């Protein structure tokens, strides 16, 4: 009778409490192999919002970043792929006292081409990681698209944005000349981010005017508090 009583009490516990809390490495392995109900249970164990659990329980393409760990704790970032409703969520989770906790949440708008992506880097400190977000849509409309590159510091258990610059600007009014600007942002040293921008004018038939191509470059240097921007240098 005593055994039956214990079993009954265990069945009363929520599934995510009864299940053993996975380690950060087990979570990473699970994202590569699990689908359906098992993946849904894993997402629930990470303390994620229900709309994310339901929206991604049959998906793949997750990015699972290891930030730091101490005995009994682990801090990780889960970057999810673009979805039609939720965009591309970015979640900061921490494993403490044998349970996962959602500490902070960010995300990207995937409009235009679903090219939003996340890169782990060390730009503001050699002792902590930053997240470099590429192609986050910030503006759109008829004949206009604007995407941004953003840099998020991870301060304690919170995201803090310290850089926001346009990386794509398409302005192409119907029947008129348009402009196209595309930038790449590349970390070139532990404290420097380099931006290379190509600008082009398009004619009314949506064909590039090759003679108008201009390539420029500048850098963003982290001085310990913020980024210092260099003047543009023309390369072409």
């Amino acid at each position: 009778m005593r055994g039956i009583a214990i079993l009954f009490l265990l069945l009363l516990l929520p599934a995510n409490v009864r299940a053993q809390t996975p380690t950060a490495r087990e979570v990473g392995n699970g994202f590569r192999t699990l689908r359906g109900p098992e993946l849904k249970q894993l997402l629930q164990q990470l303390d994620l919002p229900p709309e994310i659990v339901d929206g991604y329980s049959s998906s793949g393409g997750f990015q699972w970043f290891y930030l730091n760990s101490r005995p009994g704790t682990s801090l990780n970032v889960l970057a999810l792929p673009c979805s039609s409703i939720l965009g591309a969520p970015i979640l900061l989770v921490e494993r403490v006292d044998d349970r996962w906790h959602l500490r902070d949440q960010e995300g990207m708008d995937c409009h235009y081409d679903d090219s939003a992506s996340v890169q782990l880097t060390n730009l503001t400190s050699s002792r902590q990681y930053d997240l470099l977000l590429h192609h986050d849509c910030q503006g759109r409309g008829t004949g206009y698209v604007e995407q941004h590159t953003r840099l998020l510091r991870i301060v304690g258990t919170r995201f803090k944005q310290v850089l926001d610059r346009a990386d794509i600007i398409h302005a192409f009014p119907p029947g008129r000349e348009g402009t196209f600007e595309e930038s790449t942002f590349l970390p070139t040293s532990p404290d420097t981010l380099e931006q290379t921008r190509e600008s082009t004018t398009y004619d009314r038939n949506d064909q590039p005017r090759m003679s108008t191509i201009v390539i420029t470059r500048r850098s963003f240097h982290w001085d310990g508090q913020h980024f210092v921007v260099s003047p543009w240098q023309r390369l072409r």
Side-chain angles (χ1 to χ4, degrees), residues 148-194:
H148 282 215
T149 285
R150 299 192 289 134
L151 187 77
L152 302 179
R153 296 190 74 198
I154 300 171
V155 182
T157 56
R158 291 292 183 269
F159 292 127
K160 180 180 179 181
Q161 181 174 290
V162 293
L163 182 72
D164 185 353
R165 291 291 188 277
D167 57 23
I168 295 286
I169 297 179
H170 290 186
F172 41 96
R176 298 168 55 188
E177 290 190 353
T179 59
F180 174 86
E181 293 183 0
E182 180 173 0
S183 291
T184 57
F185 287 82
L186 180 67
T188 56
S189 72
D191 56 8
T192 302
L193 182 67
E194 186 176 83

Side-chain angles (χ1 to χ4, degrees), residues 133-149:
L133 315 184
H134 301 278
H135 304 306
D136 180 13
C137 187
Q138 298 289 317
R140 64 186 188 276
T142 302
Y144 184 80
V145 173
E146 182 175 334
Q147 297 176 342
H148 282 215
T149 285

Side-chain angles (χ1 to χ4, degrees), residues 7 11 21 25 30 37 62 78 82 98 110 118 138 151 184 208 231 235-236:
L7 177 61
L11 291 174
T21 302
R25 186 171 299 278
F62 298 170
L78 173 60
C82 287
D98 201 35
C110 298
V118 182
Q138 298 289 317
L151 187 77
T184 57
L235 305 180
R236 173 177 171 173

Side-chain angles (χ1 to χ4, degrees), residues 37-140:
E38 292 179 321
L39 177 58
K40 183 174 183 177
Q41 183 182 41
L42 181 60
L43 294 173
Q44 289 173 331
Q45 289 178 302
L46 294 179
D47 190 33
L48 303 186
E51 63 272 16
I52 290 180
V53 172
D54 293 336
Y56 285 92
S57 59
S58 60
S59 301
F62 298 170
Q63 288 181 282
W64 180 243
F65 298 117
Y66 299 84
L67 302 181
N68 59 57
S69 62
R70 301 183 302 277
T73 69
S74 181
L75 189 65
N76 297 77
V77 166
L78 173 60
L80 296 170
C82 287
S83 71
S84 58
I85 298 176
L86 299 175
I90 302 169
L91 307 120
L92 183 63
V93 294
E94 184 179 29
R95 189 178 191 268
V96 179
D97 297 329
D98 201 35
R99 291 192 64 182
W100 286 98
H101 304 270
L102 176 62
R103 298 306 192 193
D104 206 356
Q105 183 173 345
E106 257 279 357
M108 294 182 288
D109 188 319
C110 298
H111 277 92
Y112 177 54
D113 58 2
D114 285 352
S115 61
S117 64
V118 182
Q119 177 183 357
L120 192 66
T121 185
N122 294 95
L123 277 169
T124 66
S125 173
S126 60
R127 295 174 295 178
Q128 68 181 34
Y129 288 105
D130 307 308
L131 295 180
L132 191 59
L133 315 184
H134 301 278
H135 304 306
D136 180 13
C137 187
Q138 298 289 317
R140 64 186 188 276

Side-chain angles (χ1 to χ4, degrees), residues 1-9:
M1 293 294 295
R2 182 180 178 184
I4 295 175
I6 293 175
L7 177 61
F8 178 75
L9 290 174

